[in-house]
Amino acid sequence: FSLADTGSYLDVVGRNAPLDAWPIGRLRLRTQALDLSSLLSGAPQTALSGRMDIDSRSLSGPLAATIELDNASPGRWNEGRVPVSRLQARLRSPDADRQRLLIESFDLQLAHGSEAAGRWQGSGQWAGPRLQLDSQIDALRPHLLDSRAAVMNVSGPLAFTLSGLRSPDPSEADPARPRALSVELRSTLEGRIEGSPHTVKLGIDGRADGQRIELRELRAEAGAARAVLAFDARRAAADSWLLRSSGTLTDFDPLPWWPGSEGSAWRAGTHRLSGSWSLDVALPRLQPDMAPLALAQAIAGTGLLRVDRSLVAGVPVSLQLELGNRPGSGAAPGSVRGELVAGGNRLAVEGQGNPAGDGHADRLRFDLQA
């Protein structure tokens, strides 16, 4: 069949054997200047030209696929475009082993208009329930993918594993059996902030599934400044969660990582953050209309946030915030206590919930001194 409009087309030609166990034998797709936004509401604007060829001779025989696509109109995500100028990939399954699909190579070239935004290349395989990619990111410029992203140029390896998939062999698929998906990601990107002598380093090592999100380490460094985060969230009974997190900030400037909108006060300001935090709590099932005090009184555990020797938009800032439970009989009332000092102004807050429901009100008090 063929789908065409002015100046563009999409042609799909296939060879079918409807009485065979594997009815699709060959598929050829050709496209010229295809705009996805003209086909799907909300889709990004594109101008795709290229081909996709799939050969599959039998249910148990080999499969091979080749993809070559060019996008003549690459642009930023936040501008309603796709920041990809070219995609090439080759896939195949070994003879008589349809449970394995080898990703011999893939090459994704990123761009904004005529300006290169980086390249992602690699290979991998889909074996049974597991998809694994080993890849390399080169000269990635995030702000050309989205104008709100970091203005830097970084490169490094990226390893990605997705488990819990159905086998690529259609004869092994079992729709009645649920599968728990999990993803694991490891990467270390290094480079420079554009227009600055500072080197940057971003490292991530984590995994997630339906029951647990584990971020073993997230590290961001720019020159001597750094931020380090560890996070672990586990699902408990009744859709509650057990959360544990800790981290430190050392002379950390968030601006290179989150530039914000062009012309905003945030982008024009001077920022420097130092501090630490620790959090070890049981979080209840969240309700859309749950009030902050109701949430505080339902939290069991402790949390402490400290920020000192810091600047936000050029204003000296310090903060100490403590969450926890006070000892007592029955349900322990959740409490919050903190102090924010910004440019000589001081805001203190103290609150305590009453989970007993005995007529005593929740309490929250603010004290502002200018």
Side-chain angles (χ1 to χ4, degrees):
F1 68 91
S2 176
L3 174 67
D5 60 19
T6 304
S8 66
Y9 66 81
L10 171 64
D11 288 330
V12 180
V13 178
R15 181 180 65 81
N16 299 323
L19 299 181
D20 292 349
W22 184 247
I24 300 177
R26 180 174 298 169
L27 185 68
R28 298 284 186 267
L29 182 149
R30 299 290 185 272
T31 181
Q32 177 69 40
L34 179 65
D35 184 1
L36 293 178
S37 66
S38 67
L39 301 179
L40 299 172
S41 175
Q45 183 178 347
T46 60
L48 300 176
S49 301
R51 65 187 183 93
M52 180 172 66
D53 299 330
I54 300 176
D55 286 318
S56 177
R57 304 300 174 87
S58 68
L59 184 66
S60 59
L63 179 147
T66 301
I67 302 171
E68 294 183 0
L69 286 176
D70 291 293
N71 179 19
S73 183
R76 294 185 173 102
W77 279 116
N78 64 306
E79 297 171 352
R81 296 180 181 269
V82 178
V84 175
S85 60
R86 183 169 178 80
L87 167 64
Q88 293 177 293
R90 294 199 312 273
L91 303 89
R92 68 176 179 86
S93 63
D95 292 349
D97 186 4
R98 291 292 294 275
Q99 294 190 42
R100 283 205 307 150
L101 183 63
L102 303 180
I103 305 171
E104 294 186 324
S105 67
F106 68 89
D107 186 351
L108 198 67
Q109 297 180 34
L110 307 172
H112 169 55
S114 60
E115 197 169 3
R119 194 170 189 174
W120 183 26
Q121 303 175 84
S123 60
Q125 68 170 346
W126 181 3
R130 184 182 177 94
L131 171 65
Q132 185 172 359
L133 297 179
D134 292 308
S135 63
Q136 175 73 24
I137 294 175
D138 291 310
L140 177 65
R141 304 170 70 189
H143 68 288
L144 294 181
L145 311 184
D146 191 300
S147 62
R148 300 160 295 188
V151 184
M152 54 184 61
N153 188 318
V154 292
S155 303
L158 186 150
F160 174 85
T161 302
L162 181 62
S163 302
L165 298 170
R166 292 178 180 173
S167 169
D169 184 351
S171 66
E172 297 293 324
D174 184 4
R177 185 179 65 182
R179 297 178 181 269
L181 290 175
S182 65
V183 61
E184 186 158 356
L185 179 68
R186 296 189 310 278
S187 180
T188 301
L189 302 177
E190 300 185 52
R192 290 190 175 274
I193 301 173
E194 295 195 1
S196 168
H198 292 309
T199 59
V200 295
K201 182 176 181 180
L202 177 64
I204 184 170
D205 181 3
R207 67 177 306 276
D209 56 35
Q211 301 298 317
R212 185 177 183 184
I213 302 171
E214 183 184 13
L215 191 58
R216 291 181 281 264
E217 183 180 68
L218 175 63
R219 177 182 294 269
E221 300 179 1
R226 68 179 185 273
V228 182
L229 164 69
F231 178 82
D232 191 335
R234 307 185 188 196
R235 188 187 294 273
D239 287 333
S240 62
W241 286 83
L242 302 176
L243 306 181
R244 175 171 293 176
S245 176
S246 62
T248 58
L249 299 171
T250 304
D251 292 331
F252 184 71
D253 182 1
L255 197 59
W257 307 93
W258 300 283
S261 302
E262 189 172 353
S264 64
W266 172 260
R267 181 173 289 193
T270 300
H271 315 286
R272 185 181 68 246
L273 302 175
S274 294
S276 63
W277 73 90
S278 62
L279 181 69
D280 191 355
V281 301
L283 188 67
R285 180 179 180 181
L286 298 179
Q287 303 293 338
D289 57 348
M290 181 175 286
L293 271 179
L295 174 61
Q297 72 182 28
I299 291 176
T302 59
L304 180 62
L305 168 65
R306 287 194 176 97
V307 175
D308 54 10
R309 299 182 298 102
S310 298
L311 292 174
V312 176
V315 178
V317 171
S318 66
L319 170 67
Q320 179 163 314
L321 182 65
E322 184 176 359
L323 304 175
N325 297 83
R326 300 190 180 198
S329 60
S335 65
V336 56
R337 183 187 300 113
E339 180 182 77
L340 170 66
V341 179
N345 301 304
R346 175 182 175 274
L347 174 64
V349 58
E350 183 174 0
Q352 185 171 331
N354 177 42
D358 55 5
H360 295 286
D362 298 328
R363 186 175 75 248
L364 184 62
R365 186 181 69 184
F366 294 93
D367 183 11
L368 177 61
Q369 297 179 3

